[in-house]
Amino acid sequence: MSITNNINTLIKSLPKNVKLVAVSKTKPVSDILEAYNAGQRAFGENKIQEMVQKFEVLPKDIEWHMIGHLQSNKVKYIASFVHLIHGVDSLKTLKEINKQALKNNRIINCLLQVKIAKEDTKFGFSFDTIENLLSSEEFKYLSNIKIKGLMGMASFVDNETIIREEFKTLKNYFNILKKHDSANFNPTIISMGMSGDYKIAIEEGSTMVRVGSAIFGTRNYN
Ligand SMILES: *Cc1c(COP(=O)(O)O)cnc(C)c1O
């Protein structure tokens, strides 16, 4: 199957309310262009430097999604163009995004990453920490960020029951947290689901899937 075929098949299979982010990390610009020519506009990268290099040479109507763990000292390199930052998992990073957004005269859209997997290798906030963050005075003053929802990654296991439970947990957190009222908090997005588990994620309420290898083939590294 070609990238074009994969994109077309995937798009047809997704419900209307689910957005596809094509995860192009480690893949060459030519692969992204093929997906772009098939109509895909949202692409996900997990390394700042790689995203900047691709941004510079690719069409300017591409939406760039930062899906990886973000080091706050590198936010400045993507602040002028990034469309959505999925992996925010500390107040420190949020403050730095706010600062760089202000410098660029923008509001940067973010998702809070929640730790839903039992494995301890995954980054992310606990539910309680997010509740405290959203209720804090400090959060209300971050007027150059907008929290658009939550992001989560399920455990890398074959057990569908475990994956489904983790996605259910994220959806449940979303429903509770959306009652918070703050100008910079407008949750509409639940980013969950990758090549191996996006179908389960959609059944459990995902509104945004991040799919890489099912579109571009397996990666050689990373
Ligand atoms: C790599 C990656 C994906 C895509 O993974 P695939 O299994 O190739 O679809 C999705 N989300 C995040 C955060 C990733 O790092």
Side-chain angles (χ1 to χ4, degrees), residues 23 25 46 67-68 151 153 194-196 210-214 219:
V23 175
K25 65 190 186 195
N46 69 342
I67 62 167
M151 181 272 221
M153 290 171 85
M194 313 178 18
S195 295
R210 310 174 310 270
V211 179
S213 43
R219 288 176 292 274

Side-chain angles (χ1 to χ4, degrees), residues 21 23 25 45-46 67-69 86 113 151-153 156 191 193-198 209-215 217-219 222:
V21 176
V23 175
K25 65 190 186 195
E45 291 285 338
N46 69 342
I67 62 167
H69 181 69
H86 292 232
Q113 182 167 355
M151 181 272 221
M153 290 171 85
F156 286 111
S191 168
M194 313 178 18
S195 295
D197 57 20
Y198 74 89
V209 292
R210 310 174 310 270
V211 179
S213 43
I215 297 172
T218 50
R219 288 176 292 274
N222 182 307

Side-chain angles (χ1 to χ4, degrees), residues 69 87 89 113-116 120-125:
H69 181 69
D89 68 353
Q113 182 167 355
V114 188
K115 183 173 153 47
I116 51 170
D120 37 64
T121 50
K122 296 287 191 313
F123 294 105
F125 285 110

Side-chain angles (χ1 to χ4, degrees), residues 94 97-110 139-147 184:
L94 211 47
I97 296 169
N98 189 69
K99 182 176 151 193
Q100 297 301 333
L102 187 60
K103 271 192 190 164
N104 285 276
N105 200 18
R106 300 182 69 203
I107 290 176
I108 296 183
N109 294 324
C110 302
F139 178 73
K140 296 194 176 67
Y141 293 112
L142 300 176
S143 50
N144 283 74
I145 52 127
K146 183 152 278 179
I147 304 297
N184 54 1

